[in-house]
Amino acid sequence: MAAPLVLVVLVAVTVRAALYRSSLAAFISERVEVASPLNAWKRVVEGLALLDLGVSPYSGAVFHETPLIIYLFHFLIEYAELVFMITDVLTAVALYLAIQDFNKVVFKKQKLLIELDKYAPDVAELIRTPMEMHYIPLKVALFYLLNPYTVMSCVAKSTCAINNTVIAFFVLATIKGSAFLSAVFLALATYQSLYPLTLFAPALLYLLQRQFIPVKLKSKSFWLYTMQYAALYLCSLVVIICLSFFLLNSWDFIPSIYGFILSVPDLTPNIGLFWYFFAEMFEHFSLFFVCVFQINVFFYTIPLAIKLKEHPMFFMFVQLAIISIFKSYPTVGDVALYMAFLPVWSHLYRFLRNIFILSCVLIVCSLLFPVLWHLWIYAGSANSNFYYAITLTFNIGQILLISDYFYAFLRREYYLTHGLHLTRQDGTEAMLVLK
Amino acid sequence: GEMLAAAALLLLLAAAGPGRAQRDALREELLLSPLPAGDMAATFQFRTRWDADLQRGAVSHYRLFPKALGRLVAALGVRELHLALTQGFWRTQAWGQPPLQAPAGAELWVWFQPTVTDVDKAWKELSNILSGIFCASLNFIDSTNTVTPTASFKPLGLANGTDHHLLRYAVLPREVVCTENLTPWKKLLPCGSKAGLAVLLKAERLFHSSYHSQAVHIRPICRDASCLAVSWELRQTLTVVFDTFTSGQGKKDWSLFRMFSRTLTDACPLASQSRVYVDISPKNKEKELLEVTPPPASVHEAIVQGDKKIYAVYDLLSPSLFNTSRSLNVQLKWKRPQDSSDLPTPVLHAQRYVSGYGLQTGEISTLIYNTHPYRAFPVILLETVPWYLRLYAHTLTIITKGKENKPSYIHYQPAQDRRRPHLLEMLIQLPANSVTKITIQFERALLKWTEYPPDPNHGFYVGSSVLSALVPSVIAMKDADVEQSPLFTSLFPSSDGSSYFVRLYTEPLLVNLPTPDFSMPYNVICLTCTVVAVCYGSFYNLLTRTFHVEEPSRGGLAKRLANIIRKFRGVPPL
């Protein structure tokens, strides 16, 4: 399987290199859908220039990257394009290896459940075969590398790519079962953008499942393992934050990064829901709604953990999608990350209800974003409402896509345990409803 | 008992005696200078000098020095105060170097005493009090438009060390100057507008002009040459430029009556000196092209801003002036037609503009011209840009004669959203006979809908940048005695005779920001919350409900009623 992966990687690198040399690179770097105030490359360069001028990069309101990024690019600024291409390749390879291992786990679990007679007799067509699962890791790598969102994100040199790499390594470490590495990568991801904190729950559930520790609130081994994992995570986070302090000898970066992410002072338009909402908010309610919107991101973790405790990878996918949709400064690079996981659930295709309409919505909205931006900002013939409407539609499309996949997943689980051909008490064909 | 009380009272009166003996003096002066393009500039200066120490000792008896300003200086620990309200822009290229320039709008810069502990609080109080005294909206000065320059504004009066944390500078470019601001300014003058030169200050003529600038400068100065004691000086200056074309008549002859629709009848009785200076310097070393009537009693020569100038002097206090007529109407006639080609090129002038298209990004460019043929000199550039134009310091480029010019000193303080503006101060060396272009790129921010002014599509003003330089002068200047020389030569202290201090201001900029739709707050809140609710609803359903096989329902009431009717009709039931 290595050869097709290498081929895909080569094609992806060629596409990116070609775009770097073309005039599109400058155009893409300016796009607000690709570069947000948190991860734009222009701001990284500005932060390094401020450091050269002798001013702390965090004394202004332009730079919101972590000190480790300053440290990294202080040495690698000349090779920035190479760095971003390598991060994309690393993400794809990490996802490839992770999904390869995950497929083995899925297949083993399926075999166990068949032997334990947990499945209904007539679900043969729902059982997954190694043949069908053979190409999924390659498809995942392909989906990530050749997704136009990822390519644009890489050409714009948005540091979202680095965040994606860290999350991909976190997923790989979790699937391989290494709690220590998983905690370290999760700490790095949280350190950079705060929201991956919610991925603690699915990672914990996966590792517990792998250690065969049942998830019962009264079980001592459950709490022991949880405490261990939490301690590893918190210690790594504290170590990384202290390292950052020693880099610039001040705690200025904490309000500049985490205060900025949480309080959303910069209302630059992006593909998310926050900017126009807070541009039009009555000042009196501003704090209230900021809190509501931030709680919204973290809010779904516990209910999803309860419902999906047997399926932690799907939980991870849904959680990643929720972070990408509801974070305070989303970009298409975040969307590309969870879309890379879609081939893993390709067996749910027959249960998806609206996939055609939703794909059309997402594609059309992606094409309309630059058009309406141009009409508002450059031509002056539209106003902000046009761009806002496309933002709303794009987010609704994403939300319905995720809930569609969730519905299909739950439906397949029901069929697996209750049989594919359901009959009512009088023998006629039954309808399945969610009640 | 009574004798003791009377003795105590006499003692008190004697003790208060020295307070009454503090001398104050008023000098008033009007400078009329014809500008090269045929326009006429008139600069009024009223200088009240008070030999008292406002900081120490309770001073309660105010004579010529206005009580409002005296109490302000004493109470808030102000060391120097400079406030200017200006309408219009001084066109340095067409009119030459300005005597005293001020930026468009309102400008306030203050040095506080080292004894002031909370400078920001004192600054806020000061701007509010001045706003009341001058009927100007100076109360809009807050931390978002105040900066602390480190090099551009040195004290103009006596200074005991310069800790720049005691300095505050703010500009309100949007401020409009009108009669409402002129009236309280005139009221601060000892004679008001009833006698002396101030009778010429009629609002309807002053505001019908290309440039109107009124300023107040308060500073401590040496009482005498030994400088053992401190006096306080209040200067009120008013500069106005009258346009040839707005006056209507074809001829370019000027007179006081034509400019101000009044003539001078007497001097202010409280003034110790009251003079009118008319600039009759010949251009290009030719004979005079101006004829002044009535003929002046004396002629004064001075070197002002590196140029030798000749002034006709009218002393309003000399009794011979009003012998022939009750009023003095100085008239200037051009002897020969003005040659438009002899526009002087000022040694230092600058321009600033915004470039770029669209509402996302832009670029501010400043062009500084040094037209001196062989001398290079450094200039300090101070730029204050509001926070909503996010400057990118890495895009700052300075190019002179095609090559990059690195400044020897840069102080950059980036802005913080809604708290403080950008501050960029640079010391740039200008080579002889060159143009220096300074460009910096910015991004426009989207503000909250309540932060836009009522006319959001008018745009946002960016205050003028300040250029301070010691320009080398061609002719050596002697250090003149401050008390003897005319007022217009003595505002800026000169360190040596070979250069003179110039402070120039560039144009203010008008920049558009992207605006949200102001009619939509409720709609936006509803729609966005709907999207969040769609997510919440879908997830709630999927998380709390489970799949069930649908049981056939026995039918509701409507179905049973329909079945009864069908039985009557003889049709099979539902």
Side-chain angles (χ1 to χ4, degrees), chain B residues 441-464:
Chain B
Q441 288 177 4
F442 63 87
E443 236 177 46
R444 303 173 205 227
L446 184 72
L447 305 177
K448 300 188 184 173
W449 70 304
T450 48
E451 291 172 344
Y452 287 88
D455 49 348
N457 291 303
H458 177 76
F460 287 77
Y461 283 96
V462 178
S464 316

Side-chain angles (χ1 to χ4, degrees), chain B residues 429-449:
Chain B
Q429 189 75 13
L430 302 177
N433 212 7
S434 65
V435 179
T436 304
K437 184 169 180 186
I438 302 154
T439 53
I440 189 165
Q441 288 177 4
F442 63 87
E443 236 177 46
R444 303 173 205 227
L446 184 72
L447 305 177
K448 300 188 184 173
W449 70 304

Side-chain angles (χ1 to χ4, degrees), chain A residues 177-190:
Chain A
S178 158
F180 172 66
L181 279 177
S182 164
V184 166
F185 282 116
L186 186 63
L188 269 174
T190 312

Side-chain angles (χ1 to χ4, degrees), chain B residues 52-59 70 73-79 113 115 232:
Chain B
D53 196 352
L54 279 172
Q55 298 299 319
R56 273 183 297 225
V59 179
V73 167
L76 291 175
V78 169
R79 189 167 74 196
Q113 299 280 357
T115 52
W232 282 84

Side-chain angles (χ1 to χ4, degrees), chain A residues 45-61:
Chain A
V45 177
E46 176 68 9
L48 292 171
L50 284 176
L51 208 57
D52 283 339
L53 274 176
V55 175
S56 163
Y58 300 109
S59 60

